[in-house]
Amino acid sequence: MTDVAREVGVTAKTVSRVLNDEGPVAVETRERVMAAVRKLGYQPNLMARNMRVGARDAAIGLVIPEMGNPFFGTVAGGVEGVIRERGLTLIVGSSSENAELEHSLIATFLARRVSALIVVPSAGSDHRRLRAERVAGLPIVFLDRPPVGLTADNVVSANRQGAQIGVAHLIAHGHRRVGFVGDLPAALYTRRERFQGYRDALSLAGLPFDRALVDSGHDQEAAARATLRLLALDDPPTALFAANNLASMGAVLALSRSGRRDVALVGFDDLPLAEALDPPLTVVAQDPAGMAAVAAELVLSRMDGDRSKARRSLVPTRLIVRGSGEVPAPRT
Protein backbone atom coordinates (compact mmCIF):
# COMPACT_ATOMS: atom_id res chain seq x y z
CA MET A 1 0.00 0.00 0.00
CA THR A 2 2.93 2.30 0.74
CA ASP A 3 4.35 1.60 -2.73
CA VAL A 4 1.03 2.54 -4.34
CA ALA A 5 0.87 5.74 -2.28
CA ARG A 6 4.42 6.69 -3.28
CA GLU A 7 3.64 6.03 -6.98
CA VAL A 8 0.59 8.31 -6.89
CA GLY A 9 1.97 10.91 -4.47
CA VAL A 10 -0.73 10.49 -1.83
CA THR A 11 -0.84 9.04 1.69
CA ALA A 12 -1.32 5.36 2.47
CA LYS A 13 -4.55 6.39 4.22
CA THR A 14 -5.90 7.71 0.93
CA VAL A 15 -5.01 4.45 -0.82
CA SER A 16 -6.79 2.56 1.98
CA ARG A 17 -9.92 4.69 1.50
CA VAL A 18 -9.95 3.94 -2.22
CA LEU A 19 -9.42 0.20 -1.84
CA ASN A 20 -11.96 -0.16 0.99
CA ASP A 21 -14.37 2.42 -0.45
CA GLU A 22 -14.33 4.32 2.81
CA GLY A 23 -14.53 8.08 3.08
CA PRO A 24 -14.47 10.84 0.46
CA VAL A 25 -11.81 10.69 -2.28
CA ALA A 26 -11.70 12.82 -5.43
CA VAL A 27 -12.64 10.93 -8.61
CA GLU A 28 -9.32 11.82 -10.27
CA THR A 29 -7.35 10.61 -7.24
CA ARG A 30 -9.34 7.38 -7.14
CA GLU A 31 -8.57 6.71 -10.82
CA ARG A 32 -4.85 7.40 -10.31
CA VAL A 33 -4.73 5.06 -7.29
CA MET A 34 -6.44 2.25 -9.20
CA ALA A 35 -4.10 2.76 -12.16
CA ALA A 36 -1.11 2.42 -9.81
CA VAL A 37 -2.65 -0.70 -8.24
CA ARG A 38 -2.89 -2.29 -11.69
CA LYS A 39 0.58 -1.16 -12.70
CA LEU A 40 2.29 -2.48 -9.55
CA GLY A 41 0.20 -5.65 -9.32
CA TYR A 42 -0.85 -4.82 -5.78
CA GLN A 43 -2.87 -7.49 -3.92
CA PRO A 44 -4.44 -6.62 -0.55
CA ASN A 45 -3.25 -8.84 2.32
CA LEU A 46 -6.61 -9.85 3.78
CA MET A 47 -5.02 -11.79 6.64
CA ALA A 48 -2.99 -8.76 7.71
CA ARG A 49 -6.05 -6.53 7.44
CA ASN A 50 -8.12 -8.89 9.58
CA MET A 51 -5.39 -9.02 12.21
CA ARG A 52 -5.17 -5.21 12.23
CA VAL A 53 -8.89 -4.67 12.75
CA GLY A 54 -9.38 -7.71 14.99
CA ALA A 55 -11.62 -9.56 12.52
CA ARG A 56 -11.60 -13.24 11.59
CA ASP A 57 -10.53 -14.55 8.21
CA ALA A 58 -13.38 -15.36 5.81
CA ALA A 59 -12.26 -18.98 5.74
CA ILE A 60 -13.30 -22.30 7.26
CA GLY A 61 -10.57 -24.73 8.32
CA LEU A 62 -11.19 -28.43 7.57
CA VAL A 63 -8.96 -31.17 9.01
CA ILE A 64 -9.30 -34.62 7.42
CA PRO A 65 -7.30 -37.82 8.09
CA GLU A 66 -6.41 -38.68 4.49
CA MET A 67 -6.34 -36.74 1.22
CA GLY A 68 -6.41 -39.89 -0.94
CA ASN A 69 -9.52 -41.46 0.59
CA PRO A 70 -12.51 -40.78 -1.73
CA PHE A 71 -14.82 -40.47 1.29
CA PHE A 72 -12.95 -37.44 2.65
CA GLY A 73 -12.61 -35.92 -0.81
CA THR A 74 -16.40 -35.98 -1.09
CA VAL A 75 -16.66 -34.48 2.40
CA ALA A 76 -14.38 -31.56 1.43
CA GLY A 77 -16.36 -30.92 -1.76
CA GLY A 78 -19.64 -31.01 0.16
CA VAL A 79 -18.47 -28.48 2.74
CA GLU A 80 -17.07 -26.15 0.09
CA GLY A 81 -20.29 -26.27 -1.93
CA VAL A 82 -22.26 -24.94 1.05
CA ILE A 83 -19.92 -22.28 2.41
CA ARG A 84 -19.02 -20.87 -1.02
CA GLU A 85 -22.54 -19.44 -1.25
CA ARG A 86 -21.73 -17.33 1.80
CA GLY A 87 -18.50 -16.00 0.29
CA LEU A 88 -16.32 -18.18 2.52
CA THR A 89 -13.19 -20.06 1.50
CA LEU A 90 -12.32 -23.63 2.54
CA ILE A 91 -8.79 -24.43 3.74
CA VAL A 92 -8.04 -28.16 3.98
CA GLY A 93 -5.24 -29.99 5.79
CA SER A 94 -4.53 -33.70 6.30
CA SER A 95 -3.57 -35.13 9.68
CA SER A 96 -2.47 -38.49 8.20
CA GLU A 97 -4.30 -40.08 11.17
CA ASN A 98 -1.67 -38.55 13.47
CA ALA A 99 -2.96 -36.83 16.61
CA GLU A 100 0.01 -34.46 16.95
CA LEU A 101 -0.20 -33.41 13.32
CA GLU A 102 -3.93 -32.84 13.75
CA HIS A 103 -3.26 -30.52 16.71
CA SER A 104 -0.55 -28.71 14.72
CA LEU A 105 -2.94 -28.12 11.81
CA ILE A 106 -5.64 -26.84 14.14
CA ALA A 107 -3.12 -24.47 15.74
CA THR A 108 -2.17 -23.18 12.29
CA PHE A 109 -5.81 -22.56 11.39
CA LEU A 110 -6.43 -20.80 14.70
CA ALA A 111 -3.33 -18.63 14.20
CA ARG A 112 -4.72 -17.34 10.91
CA ARG A 113 -8.04 -16.67 12.69
CA VAL A 114 -10.36 -18.84 10.63
CA SER A 115 -14.06 -18.19 11.14
CA ALA A 116 -14.80 -21.80 12.07
CA LEU A 117 -13.30 -25.29 12.32
CA ILE A 118 -14.57 -28.62 10.97
CA VAL A 119 -12.49 -31.55 12.22
CA VAL A 120 -12.47 -35.25 11.37
CA PRO A 121 -10.58 -36.49 14.45
CA SER A 122 -7.57 -38.75 14.03
CA ALA A 123 -7.18 -41.88 16.11
CA GLY A 124 -5.99 -41.12 19.62
CA SER A 125 -6.54 -37.36 19.50
CA ASP A 126 -7.68 -35.35 22.52
CA HIS A 127 -9.60 -32.12 22.02
CA ARG A 128 -9.59 -30.64 25.53
CA ARG A 129 -7.15 -27.97 24.40
CA LEU A 130 -9.96 -26.50 22.23
CA ARG A 131 -12.16 -25.72 25.23
CA ALA A 132 -11.01 -22.09 25.40
CA GLU A 133 -11.80 -21.53 21.71
CA ARG A 134 -15.17 -23.22 22.13
CA VAL A 135 -16.03 -21.07 25.17
CA ALA A 136 -14.92 -17.96 23.27
CA GLY A 137 -17.57 -18.75 20.65
CA LEU A 138 -15.54 -20.18 17.77
CA PRO A 139 -17.83 -22.57 15.81
CA ILE A 140 -16.28 -26.05 15.96
CA VAL A 141 -17.97 -29.07 14.38
CA PHE A 142 -16.59 -32.61 14.41
CA LEU A 143 -17.38 -34.80 11.43
CA ASP A 144 -17.53 -38.60 11.00
CA ARG A 145 -16.11 -39.14 14.50
CA PRO A 146 -17.02 -37.36 17.76
CA PRO A 147 -14.52 -35.29 19.77
CA VAL A 148 -12.64 -36.63 22.79
CA GLY A 149 -12.58 -34.58 25.99
CA LEU A 150 -14.75 -31.81 24.56
CA THR A 151 -18.49 -31.21 24.29
CA ALA A 152 -19.09 -29.91 20.76
CA ASP A 153 -21.32 -30.35 17.72
CA ASN A 154 -20.66 -33.54 15.77
CA VAL A 155 -22.09 -35.16 12.66
CA VAL A 156 -21.73 -38.94 12.30
CA SER A 157 -23.16 -41.80 10.26
CA ALA A 158 -25.47 -44.44 11.69
CA ASN A 159 -22.45 -46.76 11.80
CA ARG A 160 -23.70 -49.40 14.21
CA GLN A 161 -27.14 -49.71 12.67
CA GLY A 162 -25.74 -49.77 9.13
CA ALA A 163 -23.24 -52.51 9.95
CA GLN A 164 -25.95 -54.57 11.65
CA ILE A 165 -28.14 -54.32 8.54
CA GLY A 166 -25.25 -55.30 6.25
CA VAL A 167 -24.30 -58.38 8.28
CA ALA A 168 -27.95 -59.36 8.73
CA HIS A 169 -28.24 -59.29 4.93
CA LEU A 170 -25.46 -61.90 4.66
CA ILE A 171 -27.05 -64.03 7.38
CA ALA A 172 -30.38 -63.87 5.54
CA HIS A 173 -28.69 -65.55 2.56
CA GLY A 174 -27.77 -68.55 4.69
CA HIS A 175 -24.30 -67.60 5.92
CA ARG A 176 -23.37 -68.70 9.43
CA ARG A 177 -19.63 -67.99 9.27
CA VAL A 178 -19.30 -64.25 8.55
CA GLY A 179 -15.84 -62.71 8.66
CA PHE A 180 -15.14 -59.10 9.69
CA VAL A 181 -12.37 -57.07 8.00
CA GLY A 182 -11.95 -53.82 9.94
CA ASP A 183 -9.84 -50.70 10.03
CA LEU A 184 -6.95 -49.95 12.38
CA PRO A 185 -6.55 -48.97 15.11
CA ALA A 186 -9.28 -51.06 16.70
CA ALA A 187 -10.08 -48.19 19.08
CA LEU A 188 -11.12 -45.91 16.19
CA TYR A 189 -14.69 -44.71 16.73
CA THR A 190 -16.07 -45.82 13.35
CA ARG A 191 -14.35 -49.19 13.62
CA ARG A 192 -15.74 -49.77 17.12
CA GLU A 193 -19.27 -48.83 16.09
CA ARG A 194 -19.29 -51.02 12.99
CA PHE A 195 -17.76 -53.93 14.87
CA GLN A 196 -20.51 -53.62 17.45
CA GLY A 197 -23.09 -53.65 14.65
CA TYR A 198 -21.48 -56.83 13.35
CA ARG A 199 -21.82 -58.43 16.76
CA ASP A 200 -25.40 -57.18 17.11
CA ALA A 201 -26.37 -58.97 13.88
CA LEU A 202 -24.79 -62.24 15.06
CA SER A 203 -26.53 -62.00 18.42
CA LEU A 204 -29.94 -61.25 16.89
CA ALA A 205 -29.54 -64.29 14.62
CA GLY A 206 -28.51 -66.52 17.51
CA LEU A 207 -25.03 -67.06 16.05
CA PRO A 208 -21.92 -67.33 18.26
CA PHE A 209 -19.17 -64.74 18.04
CA ASP A 210 -15.87 -66.23 16.90
CA ARG A 211 -12.79 -64.04 17.42
CA ALA A 212 -10.96 -66.04 14.73
CA LEU A 213 -13.26 -64.51 12.11
CA VAL A 214 -12.07 -60.94 12.88
CA ASP A 215 -9.06 -59.34 11.17
CA SER A 216 -7.96 -55.84 10.25
CA GLY A 217 -5.90 -53.69 7.89
CA HIS A 218 -5.65 -49.92 7.54
CA ASP A 219 -5.02 -49.77 3.80
CA GLN A 220 -6.04 -51.73 0.72
CA GLU A 221 -3.11 -54.16 0.68
CA ALA A 222 -3.27 -54.79 4.42
CA ALA A 223 -6.99 -55.50 4.12
CA ALA A 224 -6.28 -57.91 1.25
CA ARG A 225 -3.80 -59.79 3.43
CA ALA A 226 -6.31 -59.87 6.29
CA THR A 227 -8.93 -61.32 3.91
CA LEU A 228 -6.56 -64.05 2.75
CA ARG A 229 -5.77 -64.95 6.36
CA LEU A 230 -9.47 -65.40 7.07
CA LEU A 231 -9.99 -67.52 3.97
CA ALA A 232 -7.05 -69.75 4.99
CA LEU A 233 -8.64 -70.75 8.33
CA ASP A 234 -9.47 -74.41 8.91
CA ASP A 235 -13.11 -73.36 9.21
CA PRO A 236 -13.16 -70.23 7.00
CA PRO A 237 -15.97 -67.72 6.62
CA THR A 238 -18.39 -68.14 3.72
CA ALA A 239 -19.15 -64.40 3.77
CA LEU A 240 -17.25 -61.21 4.59
CA PHE A 241 -18.24 -57.85 5.97
CA ALA A 242 -15.66 -55.17 5.07
CA ALA A 243 -15.99 -52.27 7.49
CA ASN A 244 -14.85 -49.35 5.27
CA ASN A 245 -14.09 -48.55 1.62
CA LEU A 246 -10.39 -49.49 1.80
CA ALA A 247 -11.26 -52.78 3.49
CA SER A 248 -13.80 -53.43 0.73
CA MET A 249 -11.22 -52.81 -1.98
CA GLY A 250 -8.75 -55.08 -0.20
CA ALA A 251 -11.35 -57.85 0.11
CA VAL A 252 -12.24 -57.55 -3.58
CA LEU A 253 -8.55 -57.79 -4.49
CA ALA A 254 -8.02 -60.86 -2.30
CA LEU A 255 -11.06 -62.67 -3.68
CA SER A 256 -10.00 -61.86 -7.24
CA ARG A 257 -6.39 -62.94 -6.73
CA SER A 258 -7.47 -66.24 -5.19
CA GLY A 259 -10.14 -66.86 -7.81
CA ARG A 260 -12.88 -67.10 -5.19
CA ARG A 261 -16.39 -66.37 -6.43
CA ASP A 262 -18.16 -68.41 -3.76
CA VAL A 263 -17.63 -65.93 -0.90
CA ALA A 264 -20.31 -63.30 -0.30
CA LEU A 265 -19.16 -59.75 0.42
CA VAL A 266 -20.86 -56.65 1.81
CA GLY A 267 -18.82 -53.47 2.22
CA PHE A 268 -19.37 -50.39 4.38
CA ASP A 269 -18.97 -47.28 2.16
CA ASP A 270 -19.73 -47.19 -1.52
CA LEU A 271 -16.99 -47.27 -4.17
CA PRO A 272 -16.85 -45.27 -7.43
CA LEU A 273 -16.79 -48.40 -9.65
CA ALA A 274 -18.70 -50.78 -7.38
CA GLU A 275 -21.21 -51.58 -10.13
CA ALA A 276 -18.42 -52.47 -12.57
CA LEU A 277 -17.01 -55.26 -10.39
CA ASP A 278 -17.86 -58.90 -11.03
CA PRO A 279 -20.09 -59.46 -9.18
CA PRO A 280 -21.10 -55.85 -8.48
CA LEU A 281 -20.42 -54.87 -4.88
CA THR A 282 -23.27 -54.79 -2.36
CA VAL A 283 -22.64 -52.00 0.15
CA VAL A 284 -23.95 -50.17 3.15
CA ALA A 285 -23.64 -46.69 1.70
CA GLN A 286 -22.87 -43.64 3.77
CA ASP A 287 -23.80 -40.15 2.63
CA PRO A 288 -20.54 -38.17 2.87
CA ALA A 289 -21.93 -35.25 0.86
CA GLY A 290 -24.99 -35.15 3.12
CA MET A 291 -22.83 -35.31 6.24
CA ALA A 292 -20.68 -32.47 4.90
CA ALA A 293 -23.74 -30.35 4.15
CA VAL A 294 -25.14 -30.90 7.67
CA ALA A 295 -21.77 -29.96 9.22
CA ALA A 296 -21.39 -26.86 7.02
CA GLU A 297 -24.95 -25.67 7.73
CA LEU A 298 -24.34 -26.19 11.44
CA VAL A 299 -21.17 -24.09 11.24
CA LEU A 300 -23.02 -21.29 9.44
CA SER A 301 -25.80 -21.42 12.01
CA ARG A 302 -23.26 -21.03 14.82
CA MET A 303 -21.59 -18.16 12.95
CA ASP A 304 -25.00 -16.49 12.70
CA GLY A 305 -25.40 -16.55 16.46
CA ASP A 306 -26.95 -19.92 17.34
CA ARG A 307 -25.89 -20.53 20.96
CA SER A 308 -27.98 -23.63 21.66
CA LYS A 309 -26.45 -26.70 23.32
CA ALA A 310 -24.00 -28.84 21.39
CA ARG A 311 -25.76 -31.58 19.48
CA ARG A 312 -25.09 -34.77 17.56
CA SER A 313 -26.56 -35.22 14.08
CA LEU A 314 -26.95 -38.84 12.99
CA VAL A 315 -26.97 -39.32 9.21
CA PRO A 316 -28.63 -42.58 8.05
CA THR A 317 -27.02 -45.19 5.82
CA ARG A 318 -28.70 -47.40 3.20
CA LEU A 319 -28.14 -50.90 1.89
CA ILE A 320 -27.49 -51.04 -1.87
CA VAL A 321 -28.01 -54.56 -3.22
CA ARG A 322 -25.90 -55.31 -6.30
CA GLY A 323 -24.86 -58.96 -6.26
CA SER A 324 -21.79 -59.69 -4.14
CA GLY A 325 -23.78 -59.81 -0.93
CA GLU A 326 -26.33 -62.19 -2.39
CA VAL A 327 -23.95 -65.07 -3.10
CA PRO A 328 -25.70 -67.96 -1.29
CA ALA A 329 -24.05 -69.93 1.46
CA PRO A 330 -22.76 -73.33 0.32
CA ARG A 331 -24.94 -76.28 1.14
CA THR A 332 -23.71 -78.44 4.00
Side-chain angles (χ1 to χ4, degrees), residues 45-58 112-113:
N45 187 328
L46 297 180
M47 188 183 303
R49 179 184 181 278
N50 290 335
M51 291 176 66
R52 179 172 58 83
V53 300
R56 289 197 171 274
D57 192 6
R112 64 170 295 157
R113 296 186 59 77

Side-chain angles (χ1 to χ4, degrees), residues 177 210 212-213 227-238 260:
R177 299 278 292 170
D210 185 349
L213 294 178
T227 300
L228 291 175
R229 286 194 295 268
L230 291 176
L231 296 178
L233 293 172
D234 291 337
D235 188 7
T238 61
R260 298 289 299 272

